[in-house]
Every structure is written in structure tokens, then in C-alpha cells.
Amino acid sequence: MSDNPIFKGSNVTPKVIARAGRISTPQYLYDEKIIVDKCKEVLAMPNAFGLNVRYAMKANSNMALLQLITDDYLCLDCSSMGEVKRAHDADIPYDIMMLTTQEVPIGEDREKLEEMMLDGLKYNVCSLRQLGKVADFAAEHDIPLSIRVHPGVGSGESSTRNTGDKYSCFGIHLTDLERALEIANDKGVIFDQVHDHIGSGGDPEKWRGNIDILLQGFVGSYFPDAETVSFGGGLREARMPDETPADIQELGRYAALKIEDFYECTGRKLRMEIEPGTYVVANSGFLITKVIDKKQTGPDGFEFLIVDGGMEVNTRPLLYGSKHPFYVVSKDGELLSSEFELDKLDPNTSKKVIVGKCCESGDSQSLDEEGHILERLMADPKVGDYVVIGGAGAYCSSMSPFNYNSHLQCREALLREDGAINVIRMPQQRKQITQNEKPLKKF
Ligand SMILES: *Cc1c(COP(=O)(O)O)cnc(C)c1O
């Protein structure tokens, strides 16, 4: 039997799934090849006067992946002080990180932030209060700041992932810009970068529109010292066969054209920055689960496959109604069905629903936006076979309520380009769940 990759451009084959799955399930298996190819692809985005790419580490912050992505490839976008510290713990230098956070640096964090900024951390001011807290220090040490502006319009794959419209409060709104500039002038600090991030996985047309808004509405009108313009992340990736990814080449060409126009009008050569999270890692992740039971709910009901990983390892379907591709692999490593080749299935194959092992009716890998279970076509596995959930590299491990129902955070592994499988997270031990709890009674 052939052992072809289960996903285009990947090295993950059914045999690799069985090799990893035998050790433990559920398990996230990442493909080094996909991550490296994605890094190279985003770095090759057309640009006018230089490009800097920051990986948004909240998408997946595993230490090994951060090291892989930053070695020779991308800089980092950090969403909290905790993320900056975590990346630094992975031996990544502060001077390739930018911090864009809702937190306000006070107390110990303030001291720590100063240390980090002296070592090159870029601070992206997101509120007037944050600016007030760091301006003196930045001025005293001649450290230019970045500023996140609130463009007033955004776009996300769902309303909860739109970060640019009036329902979201990220960045400094247009109506507060004059005030921000007054504070900066007063303190003697400059903004050498203007940034926004309008949402995740939204309409690429809106992403293009944002380029115009940022250049004309903000950089040109308010920020004479800006040398870099950051368009944020949110580049759409296609996980399912019927989805279309953002066209990086086309977006790059458009941005380059606009940045060149800007140069023609102003004589200013702007460097471009982007911050993809999803786009870099989403399709590198394969969540391997094992079928542990089967049930059906009568003639009007459904055929259920109960697998050993659900909302606690991938909460995106429950949170957003997101769709992920499914692969069914036998326990000895034969591909029984693939989301990308459903036409190969016997037409009499019945539709099934996949549920996890949590006590929660929304614990399914296939839900619509209202939270109803959606049936899907797939082969009929035996108990002990694997159901693999694709597109599980971004916002799965990093975002999941993994200890719900006292389940344990699971193993993560990386398929190297040479075929080796490296463990990059050991499974959690039972006692780690309760180690910080304090009992009422001594025992
Ligand atoms: C989350 C985030 C990103 C990455 O978004 P993706 O949709 O994963 O590409 C980039 N920049 C900022 C500021 C973010 O908060």
C-alpha cells in the first residue's frame, strides 16, 4: 500500500499518524516542513522598501515551535508580558519581539518592561494610559515607540474575531490620536512605527482596504517620524477543501504599490511589517484522536463516533463554529477516508458526528455557528482506529481548556524533515492538575 502524505505539501502520512498515535492519544503532531515552507512563503511576500514578518505567538507558543520559527526566519509578535517572558525562556532575544498588549505596565511588570526595552523589545502603545506610563522612560533612553491605532473598521472570520470595529477596543482610536501626539511631544518621545490589526481570518478585501486607511488616514496625516507601517496579522488560511486562503503574493503587490505611491507623494520610504499567526502554523497541526466508542440515537438521530479528544484539545468548533478537515486512519496506518477525497467513499457510507469525552453536548469537532452538531461524511472506523483533525496548528493547543473534566494536557510532537518524531511537550501528569490547590483537611 502506498503511504502518501494525507495533506498536500506535508510529510505526514497515515503510517506516521499510526507511529505517533500508538504512543498516546490525543496528541498534536506538527509538521516541520509545512512550518518552514510557510515561513519562507511569508518572507517572500512582495514589498517596496523592506519587509519584517512577526509570528503572532499566541497562535501556538510551544517552545520548540518558537525556536523553529525564529531560527533564521521570523521575528515575534507577543500579546502579553507573559508571552515575552515565555519566548525569552526559549532563549529568544528581546530585540526580535514586539509587545502589543491590553496590560498596563505597573509595579513589577513596569520594571521588567524597562529591562526588556533596554534589551531591544519593541513596545507597541495601545492606550493613552500605557503611553502615559512608558513615555518618560522611552524619552529618557531615546527609545522610539510603536503605536497601535484603532481604525474604526475591521474584519474577522466571526464577529468575535473582528478587532477593528467599534465593538473592539484594541489600539488608540482616531478621536484620541491628537491627545496621544500631545503626550508624546510633551515628553519628547517619537513613534517610528504605526500598527493596526483588524481581525483574524477576515475578508482579504478588507485587509487591502486597511492598507489604504493606515497609510492615508494615519501615517501620512499624523506620524511624520514613522519609518515602518505594520498591517498586523489575520491573513486567512484555508483548512477545509472549500475554503480559499489569502493570496499573499497579491496582497504584497498591492501593499508595495501603495507604499511606493506614498513615497512618490511624501518622499518617505516605509518598511512594511506583517504579523501572521494562523497563516504560519494552522495547517501544520494534526490532532490525532482515537475512536473509543460508537453510539446511535435512533432512526431520527445520529451515528456518533466518540473519540478521546474534543473541546478540551480543540475548542475552535465550539467557540467559533470553525470547520476542520477529518481523516480516518486505521490503527495499523491505512488511510480509510480523507476530507479531501470524499468522492472516493462508498456512496452508501452514512454520515457521522464526532464527539469528544467531555460532559458537554457542544463537545464536538463539527458544529454550526449556533452550536448544533453537523454530520460529516467519513469512513466507518473501528474502535481503536484514529480520527485525525487537520488544521489544528493554530489556536488549538494554545487556547484549549485542557483540564476541563480533569483531562490531562496532552503530548505534542514534531515530525522533523528527516522523518524523526520529536516530543515537544510531555503529557501532563495527574498531580500537576492539583499541585497549586490547598486542601481543607490534612491527609
Ligand atoms: C492575534 C494577533 C495576530 C495574529 O492573528 P492571526 O489571525 O493568527 O494571523 C497578529 N497581531 C496581533 C496584534 C494579534 O493580536
Side-chain angles (χ1 to χ4, degrees):
M1 270 304 261
S2 67
D3 190 36
N4 294 324
I6 59 176
F7 181 71
K8 196 166 153 250
S10 155
N11 280 336
V12 173
T13 66
K15 293 276 184 278
V16 167
I17 294 293
R19 186 148 67 92
R22 218 170 285 134
I23 296 167
S24 68
T25 53
Q27 177 182 170
Y28 303 97
L29 178 68
Y30 305 106
D31 184 2
E32 178 175 24
K33 177 172 185 291
I34 293 213
I35 297 176
V36 168
D37 287 351
K38 283 290 181 180
C39 288
K40 291 180 179 163
E41 187 193 338
V42 287
L43 284 172
M45 189 169 180
N47 63 85
F49 306 112
L51 170 70
N52 191 30
V53 184
R54 294 185 185 280
Y55 165 62
M57 69 175 277
K58 71 178 186 291
N60 192 320
S61 358
N62 183 289
M63 187 178 276
L65 300 191
L66 294 181
Q67 291 175 338
L68 171 65
I69 291 167
T70 55
D71 251 11
D72 298 334
Y73 301 111
L74 312 185
C75 296
L76 286 187
D77 159 54
C78 309
S79 296
S80 66
M81 285 287 283
E83 284 193 351
V84 175
K85 291 174 192 163
R86 184 169 180 174
H88 196 66
D89 286 345
D91 208 26
I92 295 168
Y94 292 124
D95 65 8
I96 67 160
M97 304 181 204
M98 179 161 85
L99 174 59
T100 301
T101 180
Q102 293 279 70
E103 298 158 325
V104 177
I106 43 177
E108 262 177 49
D109 266 358
R110 161 69 197 247
E111 275 168 46
K112 192 71 200 156
L113 179 71
E114 290 184 0
E115 244 174 79
M116 294 165 169
M117 285 172 71
L118 288 174
D119 280 340
L121 172 75
K122 189 89 191 160
Y123 189 72
N124 192 20
V125 169
C126 296
S127 75
L128 292 178
R129 184 162 146 82
Q130 287 181 351
L131 177 60
K133 294 283 172 204
V134 300
D136 276 335
F137 172 79
E140 185 189 334
H141 295 274
D142 262 335
I143 301 176
L145 297 172
S146 174
I147 182 168
R148 178 173 184 167
V149 297
H150 185 312
V153 282
S155 177
E157 215 168 345
S158 60
S159 57
T160 50
R161 280 171 293 170
N162 181 326
T163 56
D165 67 6
K166 69 170 182 177
Y167 298 100
S168 97
C169 69
F170 300 104
I172 298 182
H173 195 263
L174 189 61
T175 48
D176 272 338
L177 276 191
E178 296 284 359
R179 182 76 197 111
L181 289 167
E182 262 169 44
I183 298 173
N185 280 337
D186 211 37
K187 305 278 185 187
V189 61
I190 63 160
F191 296 112
D192 68 348
Q193 171 166 323
V194 182
H195 165 277
D196 77 357
H197 166 69
I198 59 167
S200 282
D203 181 359
E205 192 58 42
K206 293 268 169 50
W207 208 90
R208 277 209 293 180
N210 181 51
I211 294 173
D212 299 318
I213 295 173
L214 209 51
L215 287 173
Q216 285 154 28
F218 292 92
V219 184
S221 326
Y222 293 94
F223 298 100
D225 301 314
E227 292 165 5
T228 306
V229 57
S230 173
F231 301 119
L235 297 168
R236 179 183 282 183
E237 180 55 299
R239 294 179 180 81
M240 293 291 284
D242 62 349
E243 292 173 351
T244 317
D247 183 340
I248 299 284
Q249 287 291 317
E250 195 274 330
L251 287 175
R253 279 195 297 273
Y254 184 83
L257 204 73
K258 294 292 166 166
I259 290 176
E260 274 158 18
D261 283 352
F262 186 84
Y263 169 64
E264 298 284 306
C265 298
T266 62
R268 295 168 61 190
K269 291 187 177 174
L270 296 173
R271 193 178 163 80
M272 163 165 115
E273 194 164 285
I274 55 165
E275 298 171 333
T278 303
Y279 198 80
V280 178
V281 289
N283 281 332
S284 76
F286 299 84
L287 172 58
I288 309 172
T289 68
K290 195 187 284 172
V291 180
I292 55 172
D293 209 346
K294 292 174 158 192
K295 298 185 192 184
Q296 51 85 31
T297 47
D300 300 331
F302 300 103
E303 263 190 63
F304 287 83
L305 292 177
I306 295 128
V307 299
D308 62 359
M311 61 174 278
E312 83 287 8
V313 279
N314 177 18
T315 198
R316 297 183 72 257
L318 182 57
L319 199 57
Y320 305 131
S322 305
K323 307 269 180 312
H324 288 258
F326 299 146
Y327 308 88
V328 181
V329 175
S330 73
K331 73 171 176 293
D332 39 70
E334 299 299 337
L335 183 66
L336 303 180
S337 72
S338 159
E339 194 76 48
F340 292 83
E341 296 173 341
L342 290 180
D343 52 332
K344 286 195 181 166
L345 278 179
D346 174 350
N348 297 321
T349 312
S350 57
K351 292 181 171 169
K352 296 174 188 56
V353 294
I354 294 183
V355 295
K357 57 185 178 181
C358 292
C359 293
E360 196 78 40
S361 57
D363 180 17
S364 172
Q365 295 296 314
S366 186
L367 297 166
D368 65 17
E369 269 144 49
E370 266 111 60
H372 295 124
I373 274 178
L374 277 181
E375 290 176 294
R376 302 268 289 266
L377 265 179
M378 68 190 84
D380 193 17
K382 296 195 178 66
V383 167
D385 287 342
Y386 303 108
V387 173
V388 180
I389 293 127
Y395 306 102
C396 291
S397 170
S398 67
M399 206 190 218
S400 296
F402 48 78
N403 285 149
Y404 184 52
N405 278 202
S406 296
H407 296 310
L408 300 172
Q409 190 178 22
C410 68
R411 173 178 141 123
E412 292 181 276
L414 178 68
L415 176 67
R416 306 307 303 269
E417 296 201 81
D418 66 6
I421 296 177
N422 292 171
V423 185
I424 58 170
R425 180 193 296 280
M426 297 290 290
Q428 197 177 26
Q429 301 293 306
R430 170 117 5 245
K431 61 178 184 298
Q432 290 180 298
I433 300 188
T434 49
Q435 69 187 1
N436 294 331
E437 294 179 11
K438 291 285 180 198
L440 274 186
K441 292 188 208 159
K442 286 257 186 292
F443 53 91

